[in-house]
Amino acid sequence: MGLLCKKPICALICTGSDALANHILELLLRWARGACVVLSVVRTEDIPAQWDEGPLFLDMDSVEPPENGWSGEMTGLIVVSQDAGRAIRSYRLHPAAFLKPDCDAYALAQALSACEDAWQQGRLCLKPPYRPGALHLALGSIRYIEASAHYCIFEQKGRSVRVRFAAGELEELLPKPPFVRCHRSYLVHLDAIADMSYTTLTLRDGACLPVGRTYVQT
């Protein structure tokens, strides 16, 4: 049993603006915690000739790429600009997505979804014990976990996986945040929660989980 990560991912923010670099950095780190992606972030004003380490955020309002594009293929290129004209011209660079400088966390997550290949190896995955074959569960895709006797049921979008697991040992293993215990039988991913009360968590897909008295403050 353990957590696996094939390859930590590096995101590159290519900009001459301190404000933009700090804004993207804050959103990226928040996204990485929720998506359970092992990520480092580097800022530069020098455009790399080639980049395949992870998502690349190119600020076209402060940095101009070469007229003829790059010598190599860019993996996960996300163009950032306030100017719609620059956005249109950026299509010669074949970006995966386009962002405004004042983008919010949701817009950044959508842009990263469009270039998933650039960071998918950075996913933190759970390798359950007592399970034949190479079953790896991406932590960011788990909505909640239900403990039942000697088993844990991992609820992901569109599927459930039942694995023999000690709930207490699993809780110690999972990163906090984004996972929290809301009941003696339930662990939940914070991003899956749409609404909450003292007794119930309502998830984005409409499912409801109980909140135990012991865990109200958490």
Side-chain angles (χ1 to χ4, degrees):
M1 177 178 65
L3 298 181
L4 304 173
C5 176
K6 291 182 181 178
K7 176 187 175 185
I9 297 301
C10 179
L12 185 65
I13 304 173
C14 189
T15 181
S17 167
D18 291 340
L20 178 63
N22 291 335
H23 180 59
I24 296 293
L25 174 61
E26 179 184 351
L27 295 181
L28 269 174
L29 294 179
R30 189 192 311 174
W31 166 82
R33 284 194 298 269
C36 297
V37 171
V38 182
L39 174 76
S40 62
V41 184
V42 175
R43 180 204 170 174
T44 179
E45 294 183 34
D46 300 319
I47 300 173
Q50 191 168 346
W51 180 258
D52 58 2
E53 297 296 318
L56 167 61
F57 294 82
L58 175 62
D59 173 19
M60 289 189 68
D61 293 342
S62 67
V63 179
E64 283 293 333
E67 285 297 322
N68 297 323
W70 283 280
S71 58
E73 181 181 353
M74 285 289 172
T75 302
L77 173 62
I78 299 173
V79 167
V80 185
S81 178
Q82 190 66 48
D83 188 327
R86 288 194 183 97
I88 293 171
R89 291 195 297 275
S90 75
Y91 280 100
R92 65 186 172 83
L93 306 174
H94 306 292
F98 174 78
L99 283 177
K100 294 282 190 180
D102 59 351
C103 64
D104 59 14
Y106 177 77
L108 181 129
Q110 291 294 102
L112 287 164
S113 294
C115 60
E116 188 172 351
D117 289 347
W119 53 265
Q120 63 179 346
Q121 291 189 80
R123 283 191 175 103
L124 202 56
C125 297
L126 184 69
K127 187 179 185 302
Y130 319 118
R131 183 85 182 200
L135 175 65
H136 296 162
L137 299 172
L139 296 190
S141 68
I142 298 171
R143 296 160 42 244
Y144 68 91
I145 301 160
E146 180 181 359
S148 177
H150 300 296
Y151 288 84
C152 284
I153 302 169
F154 297 84
E155 294 291 346
Q156 299 173 289
K157 187 177 181 180
R159 73 163 183 163
S160 300
V161 179
R162 186 170 181 265
V163 179
R164 188 175 179 84
F165 238 125
E169 188 175 356
L170 176 62
E171 183 181 7
E172 290 297 318
L173 197 60
L174 293 174
K176 297 177 281 294
F179 289 95
V180 296
R181 183 181 282 273
C182 63
H183 186 274
R184 65 181 181 180
S185 299
Y186 290 95
L187 288 152
V188 64
H189 191 299
L190 290 174
D191 285 353
I193 301 171
D195 196 12
M196 61 187 298
S197 70
Y198 281 104
T199 59
T200 306
L201 294 180
T202 303
L203 305 191
R204 297 184 189 279
D205 61 1
C208 293
L209 302 182
V211 176
R213 289 184 181 179
T214 308
Y215 307 98
V216 168
Q217 297 302 322
T218 61

